[in-house]
Amino acid sequence: MRAQPRTLYQKIWHDHIIDNSTDDGTCLIYIDRHLVHEVTSPQAFEGLRMQKRKVRCLERTLAVMDHNVPTTDRSLPIEEKDSRIQIETLRNNCKEFGVELFDLTDKRQGVVHIIGPEQGFTLPGMTIVCGDSHTSTHGAFGALAFGIGTSEIEHVLATQTLIQKPGKNMRINVNGKLGTGVTAKDIILHIIGTIGTAGGTGYVIEYAGDTIQSLSMEGRMTICNMSIEAGARAGMIAPDQTTFTYIKGRPKAPKGENLDKAIEYWKTLYTDEGAAFDREISINAEDIPPTVTWGTTPEDVVSITGKVPSPEDFDNPGKQAEVRRMLEYMGLEPGTKIRDIKIDKVFIGSCTNGRIEDLRAVAKIAAGKKVANGVEAMVVPGSGLVKALAEQEGIADILIKAGFEWREAGCSMCLGMNPDQLKPGERCASTSNRNFEGRQGRGGRTHLCSPSMAAAAAITGKLTDVREF
Amino acid sequence: MQPFTKLSATAAPLDMINVNTDVIIPKQFLKTVKRTGLGISAFYDIRYDDNGNERPDFVLNKPEYKSAQILITGENFGSGSSREHAPWAILDMGIRCIIAPGFADIFYNNCFKNGILPITLPEDQVTSLMEEAKTNPKNLIEIDLEKQTITRGNTHSYSFDIEPFRKHCLLNGLDDVGLTLQKEASIATFENKINENKPWV
Ligand code: SF4
């Protein structure tokens, strides 16, 4: 009998089931990799301590501090007391339980979703979790990666497993050639605009099609990263030669014979012909414009050539009420041309767009230009290693000369848990992933966009069509 | 974890869709290393004004809803981050049950780990409960997890779905870690298999 065709997700899920004896489909699954950061882990370690439990698999666990870290001089003490306590708590917990930690002054330190792939800790076919919703990023390697809460962190630390029910399967096919100036960020913003912020709820999304296959690992990570913004816990892309080439030679990646054996297995990780999806969507790459958000959810997207919508453009009364609220919060009038919107700040960084390729794109736009008067533009590399490489490639020089601030690695103004925040009413073009009210600072107004669009905005002082740049 | 069996309480109508985790508990409150004490900061930006005073028009500030243990709200509640601070904050405010047409996955999951019952109902039923909570704030809603029913007065009763395993854990206040550790032998066998077949993991 021929085996039933399976999706990529089903293959990985199946390979990790320890126990599926309950009637309602709940399974105990094995977790191959666990990433830990300072914000969501203290209560989990505390739980272990209270129950006198240990961390079960130290070699599958890696910790880093990223959310609270200052992006200025690291040799100075952290001023904010609560941030300092959280960072020290992680340091002490890692020491007590023996977990490997990339500490503040380690050059490998950075945003948790940047360092996993960078170290070769993230590999295809794995189950990867972290107490952070953007764990979906790691799905770019053909891994099943998703965010978990603190109780589940404790569960994984203690047992290296999770109790889970399988999700539904969705495939989003993107085919065709991307237009000039259109990047992975525009693809995913466009997708979220199409399916909505709850469109992926309950699903694991597989991104497929020739446009996706043609993307670099960095671009694939940008796409999978924002799966959660479409409501999906996980997004994934089948591994291929691009993936294997990226992995080879990374510090924690397999080597020699082990690598060959791994690649042999990784090559089986794709959706079988004829496998059934609960939902399938096709998107034509040519239809995707350079995209920005105008509202306070990531589904409120518009083409850079478009206008701010009005509540009447929407059918659902609930959405109309939300649109009214968003327009007020964002300080926008319906009908305003997007390209006429002036900005005060620019943030380039985050686990969505803080990788080397993103910084190269920024440098390309910024070379020989100047940040507009009155605009503050901040570049925060995703990791210490990204920073070092950008300095080596001359990117840092270009950006500093153009008037950008060049910072230390961390989450920074993606959520402003450290001092990098918007002030009330300030408007920001940001390469991060969430434009929620208050996300980047209370009263702050966020427009999500790609790195090159953010760079162009920094230079003109307005949201700008990168194609005319 | 406190078990959840039956609840008879008043309900507060939070008539908004897409209430995300940044709204439920803004980032400045994520710096705690404890689980408790977050209730006072829940819904901070929509609950307090710039001077830190309560906004009188926010539903949970109104005297008639201050002691509500049930929250009725719009679709896609809890979207955004994985922060368990969101259910901790809601629980710390005294809310034990949330009723909505839909929840974001991680938030939904996190509720169960903290003894909160999230109930998904069809939109029209949520609307009806919401209207009732607005017009008759004093009326009690009875929730029976064992029977999977929501009763309002003697007239209306809705039934809701819940996965049997989650129900079992919630009814008995069971800690997942303890349950899983009983499967130690299977976990160890699985680990040996990985070490043999996938030495790179
Ligand atoms: S960069 Fe932003 S989204 Fe990514 S982990 Fe940090 S705070 Fe979360």
Side-chain angles (χ1 to χ4, degrees), chain A residues 277-388:
Chain A
F277 284 88
D278 302 288
R279 191 173 173 199
E280 191 142 15
I281 290 166
S282 287
I283 286 176
N284 187 348
E286 278 117 54
D287 296 341
I288 306 176
T291 302
V292 296
T293 61
W294 61 269
T296 58
T297 88
E299 72 183 25
D300 304 306
V301 300
V302 59
S303 161
I304 186 66
T305 57
K307 291 184 180 148
V308 175
S310 83
E312 289 70 48
D313 297 342
F314 300 83
D315 303 333
N316 171 338
K319 185 73 193 176
Q320 286 181 354
E322 192 188 33
V323 169
R324 268 183 221 109
R325 197 188 147 85
M326 292 195 289
L327 289 171
E328 197 192 317
Y329 180 87
M330 292 296 288
L332 292 172
E333 284 296 323
T336 308
K337 281 200 193 130
I338 297 296
R339 279 176 297 179
D340 290 342
I341 298 177
K342 289 209 175 68
I343 50 130
D344 309 298
K345 292 223 162 132
V346 171
F347 171 66
I348 293 165
S350 86
C351 57
T352 316
N353 285 121
R355 284 170 284 268
I356 189 68
E357 189 182 85
D358 303 313
L359 302 189
R360 287 183 191 135
V362 171
K364 214 163 145 195
I365 300 286
K369 307 247 178 24
K370 281 269 177 240
V371 170
N373 269 340
V375 172
E376 254 180 69
M378 184 193 288
V379 183
V380 182
S383 73
L385 292 173
V386 169
K387 181 172 190 247

Side-chain angles (χ1 to χ4, degrees), chain A residues 67 111 113 132 134 350-351 411 414-415 433 439:
Chain A
H67 284 65
V111 181
H113 309 306
D132 193 284
H134 291 100
S350 86
C351 57
C411 293
C414 175
L415 94 167
N433 44 49
R439 170 84 177 176

Side-chain angles (χ1 to χ4, degrees), chain A residues 15-19 24 26 28 30 32-33 39 42-43 53 56-57 60 68 80 82-83 86 89 123 126 131-133 147-152 154-155 158-159 161 163 165 197-198 201-202 228 231 233 254 258 261-262 265-266 318-319 322 325 415-417 434 436 438-442, chain B residues 16-18 20-23 27-28 30-35 44-46 48-52 55 75-76 79-85 88 103-106 109-110 113-114 163-166 175-181 183-184 186-188 190-191 193-201:
Chain A
D15 275 0
H16 289 84
I17 297 176
I18 300 170
D19 182 44
D24 70 348
T26 308
L28 186 67
Y30 195 77
D32 296 323
R33 291 287 185 265
V39 180
Q43 296 86 350
R53 288 172 177 148
R56 184 185 177 97
C57 287
R60 307 198 206 284
N68 280 280
E80 229 251 316
D82 292 345
S83 289
Q86 232 173 25
T89 304
L123 296 172
M126 285 183 159
D132 193 284
S133 58
I148 56 178
T150 299
S151 299
E152 289 177 315
E154 185 180 336
H155 194 274
T159 69
T161 68
I163 300 169
K165 269 187 90 165
T197 49
T201 305
I228 183 74
R233 269 183 108 167
N258 266 348
K261 202 168 164 192
Y265 169 67
W266 296 342
K319 185 73 193 176
E322 192 188 33
R325 197 188 147 85
L415 94 167
M417 273 189 83
R434 285 192 181 137
F436 296 159
R439 170 84 177 176
Q440 295 192 290
R442 196 171 195 204
Chain B
M16 289 168 72
I17 60 169
N18 292 324
N20 63 60
T21 50
D22 284 61
V23 170
K27 59 190 166 252
Q28 64 269 34
L30 306 185
K31 297 186 183 182
T32 171
V33 291
K34 299 205 213 78
R35 284 182 152 100
Y44 194 85
D45 287 342
I46 53 176
Y48 303 103
D49 65 18
D50 292 345
N51 302 318
R55 296 179 198 265
E75 65 180 87
N76 200 26
S79 56
S81 93
S82 64
R83 58 187 73 160
E84 204 159 312
H85 309 68
W88 293 338
F103 294 88
D105 284 338
I106 305 180
N109 204 26
N110 281 340
K113 314 282 180 200
N114 293 282
E163 287 159 23
F165 179 70
R166 293 192 195 271
D175 152 36
D176 282 355
V177 180
L179 280 176
T180 300
L181 285 174
K183 298 186 176 157
E184 170 58 35
S186 328
I187 301 173
F190 193 90
E191 253 163 5
K193 216 171 68 190
I194 299 185
N195 293 341
E196 207 170 295
N197 300 337
K198 298 186 202 162
W200 63 87
V201 171

Side-chain angles (χ1 to χ4, degrees), chain B residues 74-167:
Chain B
E75 65 180 87
N76 200 26
F77 188 81
S79 56
S81 93
S82 64
R83 58 187 73 160
E84 204 159 312
H85 309 68
W88 293 338
I90 287 176
L91 184 68
D92 203 49
M93 280 189 98
I95 289 167
R96 292 292 315 272
C97 173
I98 309 170
I99 302 174
F103 294 88
D105 284 338
I106 305 180
F107 178 83
Y108 183 78
N109 204 26
N110 281 340
C111 284
F112 287 100
K113 314 282 180 200
N114 293 282
I116 301 175
L117 172 64
I119 299 179
T120 312
L121 285 185
E123 187 116 33
D124 56 322
Q125 295 182 1
V126 175
T127 309
S128 147
L129 288 170
M130 179 99 76
E131 289 313 313
E132 172 74 12
K134 283 182 191 169
T135 43
N136 295 312
K138 288 209 183 99
N139 283 8
L140 295 180
I141 293 183
E142 323 254 334
I143 297 178
D144 186 331
L145 176 56
E146 179 62 54
K147 293 203 196 115
Q148 298 178 217
T149 54
I150 303 177
T151 319
R152 184 183 69 190
N154 296 325
T155 44
H156 286 76
S157 179
Y158 301 129
S159 61
F160 60 89
D161 283 337
I162 178 168
E163 287 159 23
F165 179 70
R166 293 192 195 271
K167 177 176 169 179

Side-chain angles (χ1 to χ4, degrees), chain A residues 161-231:
Chain A
T161 68
L162 266 184
I163 300 169
Q164 288 271 308
K165 269 187 90 165
K168 290 183 284 182
N169 288 272
M170 182 190 305
R171 182 160 59 187
I172 300 182
N173 304 292
V174 189
N175 286 295
K177 204 171 155 346
L178 289 173
T180 335
V182 180
T183 67
K185 183 64 166 284
D186 303 291
I187 301 178
I188 188 64
L189 285 172
H190 184 81
I191 289 174
I192 298 162
T194 308
I195 70 172
T197 49
T201 305
Y203 291 95
V204 168
I205 300 177
E206 179 178 345
Y207 303 94
D210 55 35
T211 317
I212 301 290
Q213 278 159 359
S214 70
L215 294 174
S216 65
M217 284 319 292
E218 282 89 345
R220 295 179 192 188
M221 284 189 255
T222 301
I223 294 203
C224 289
N225 173 274
M226 289 189 74
S227 302
I228 183 74
E229 265 62 63

